[in-house]
Amino acid sequence: MRVFVTGHRGYIGCHLVDLLKQAGHRVTGCDLRLFEGCEWEPLVPADVDLVKDVRDLTAGDLDGHDCVMHLAAISNDPMGDINPEITYRINRDASINLAGLAKQAGVGRYLFSGSCSVYGAGQKLDLEETDPLNPLTAYAKSKIQTEEAVSKLADDGFTPAFLRNATAYGHSPMLRIDLVVNNLLACAVSTGEIRIMSDGSPWRPLLHCRDIARAFVAFLHAPRERIHNRAINIGAPGSNYQVRDVATQVERLLPGARVTFTGEVGEDPRNYRVKFDLLRSLVPDFKPEYALESGMEELHRKLKDHGFGLSDWQGDQFVRLRTLKKRLDRLGMAA
Ligand SMILES: NC(=O)c1ccc[n+]([C@@H]2O[C@H](COP(=O)([O-])OP(=O)(O)OC[C@H]3O[C@@H](n4cnc5c(N)ncnc54)[C@H](O)[C@@H]3O)[C@@H](O)[C@H]2O)c1
């Protein structure tokens, strides 16, 4: 099949290109290269590589494709706080527009990279797709508003599906250390400290970034009626953790590291524990390959092999917000 992947040079997207090509698909990638120069390891190239803002795509760009997998976004809560407008324009408006273009171009399937952060301050534990949403950030709101608008486009010839992804972690050739698991591990490796910014109690669903990419491939292959116009939580049974459980895993890998609670975010209101039963029943072919332990062991090994040190921890390369702030011009904004 011919698959159009946006954000294919990102943390999750670069795994997705690799998996799609391994499965025999032809990949067109579209990415503005906001994080050019931040590569940790070489990326598997797409068959066709468009360096383009998703806001500038046309139906002609999508012609001849069987599926759009839309991952390009400002994937970052703090950026949404600093400049909510850019988050809404790219994450919501461009995503809705892209779905319309895909439909116009006769692309049958549109897979949207959503987020479990739509549950925000969870009103109860073990949240299901039909439970009330309680988004706390522009980022989370942009994901919900996209689901709402794009679902109206669904018809016999156009199948959108909304993957509400767990928080990603683990190794990627486009590593990020601004996600909770990677942050705690990279901090401990480079400073000897496990620095917890909350009180350690919030729940988060966690899934390896390559397993999130695997979910997109499973949705590509799933029978249409199973996923048609559905929002589905993406994770694995048993993959909800409290932040302090993650710290315990880091201590297991680095027994000498000291745990400190900085308290800088106080009581973190983003607290959600999520169920994945719907995914298991509708897309049984999705099989995650990592457990938190094995994913963290792999990343630990990689950090050591790369000689990850203090300058990496303090630098811009692996922290999206720091790099973005210097590249606002690429998004058509004044720095
Ligand atoms: N990382 C997570 O924990 C997580 C969790 C849930 C959902 N998601 C979603 O998955 C997707 C990918 O996340 P990620 O962690 O790989 O993010 P990332 O920041 O690593 O990658 C995003 C990519 O999109 C590109 N991009 C951004 N704006 C663009 C634009 N206007 N035009 C073209 N390209 C643009 C960037 O250059 C980058 O390569 C996002 O939609 C994100 O919201 C991520």
Side-chain angles (χ1 to χ4, degrees):
M1 278 190 266
R2 287 190 65 194
V3 185
F4 193 98
V5 181
T6 72
H8 73 295
R9 296 186 65 87
Y11 176 63
I12 299 170
C14 65
H15 278 305
L16 183 52
V17 172
D18 185 21
L19 291 171
L20 285 168
K21 287 183 72 171
Q22 279 182 25
H25 301 296
R26 195 173 152 72
V27 180
T28 303
C30 169
D31 198 301
L32 198 49
R33 299 198 177 203
L34 292 172
F35 307 108
E36 195 163 30
C38 296
E39 295 81 2
W40 205 33
E41 292 179 358
L43 311 192
V44 172
D47 298 292
V48 179
D49 199 325
L50 300 179
V51 184
K52 203 165 178 178
D53 193 316
V54 287
R55 292 174 291 179
D56 299 331
L57 285 169
T58 64
D61 291 316
L62 306 176
D63 230 9
H65 291 86
D66 302 289
C67 179
V68 169
M69 298 185 176
H70 180 42
L71 283 77
I74 303 300
S75 177
N76 200 296
D77 278 338
M79 187 68 188
D81 296 340
I82 295 167
N83 190 329
E85 198 46 39
I86 194 75
T87 293
Y88 284 121
R89 271 195 264 148
I90 294 174
N91 294 14
R92 180 192 60 196
D93 301 348
S95 302
I96 298 168
N97 185 52
L98 182 62
L101 294 173
K103 185 169 173 172
Q104 196 185 324
V107 178
R109 216 168 265 211
Y110 174 89
L111 306 181
F112 178 63
S113 197
S115 166
C116 280
S117 66
V118 294
Y119 299 109
Q123 302 296 301
K124 66 177 187 68
L125 292 179
D126 301 322
L127 292 149
E128 293 175 301
E129 288 78 353
T130 46
D131 282 320
L133 306 178
N134 194 8
L136 297 170
T137 60
Y139 172 78
K141 288 176 191 160
S142 74
K143 296 289 185 188
I144 296 174
Q145 290 167 9
T146 303
E147 286 187 11
E148 287 168 353
V150 173
S151 70
K152 297 196 179 100
L153 301 176
D155 64 16
D156 287 349
F158 184 67
T159 290
F162 310 100
L163 287 82
R164 288 186 184 163
N165 298 308
T167 300
Y169 74 90
H171 168 64
S172 161
M174 277 302 270
L175 182 68
R176 299 178 59 169
I177 58 164
D178 50 5
L179 301 163
V180 61
V181 174
N182 297 3
N183 181 272
L184 291 181
L185 188 53
C187 181
V189 166
S190 54
T191 70
E193 239 184 288
I194 305 169
R195 216 174 286 161
I196 303 178
M197 290 188 279
S198 65
D199 64 359
S201 66
W203 285 95
R204 284 284 190 295
L206 299 170
L207 191 64
H208 196 284
C209 52
R210 196 166 174 87
D211 283 335
I212 294 183
R214 243 176 224 115
F216 278 88
V217 180
F219 272 62
L220 175 69
H221 296 156
R224 173 184 176 278
E225 62 283 2
R226 292 258 170 147
I227 59 158
H228 182 72
N229 210 15
R230 283 187 180 269
I232 302 177
N233 296 336
I234 305 297
S239 63
N240 288 284
Y241 293 87
Q242 286 177 291
V243 173
R244 57 172 169 254
D245 301 330
V246 178
T248 305
Q249 289 298 327
V250 178
E251 274 183 304
R252 185 177 67 83
L253 293 167
L254 289 147
R258 290 184 315 280
V259 180
T260 50
F261 290 87
T262 68
E264 59 201 84
V265 297
E267 210 177 293
D268 188 345
R270 294 170 308 165
N271 178 32
Y272 41 98
R273 200 170 84 185
V274 177
K275 282 179 91 168
F276 302 104
D277 298 2
L278 189 63
L279 175 64
R280 245 198 319 174
S281 68
L282 293 177
V283 192
D285 287 346
F286 168 61
K287 301 253 179 334
E289 292 192 359
Y290 287 90
L292 184 64
E293 292 78 3
S294 59
M296 288 182 68
E297 278 163 18
E298 178 193 56
L299 180 58
H300 181 222
R301 215 170 34 247
K302 286 278 186 183
L303 290 165
K304 283 195 301 185
D305 290 350
H306 280 267
F308 187 92
L310 204 55
S311 61
D312 298 305
W313 170 249
Q314 291 170 340
D316 299 345
Q317 185 180 358
F318 306 113
V319 178
R320 293 292 183 258
L321 184 63
R322 292 185 198 148
T323 302
L324 264 180
K325 277 183 172 168
K326 294 187 176 152
R327 298 196 173 158
L328 290 175
D329 56 321
R330 291 195 192 190
L331 293 167
M333 295 174 65

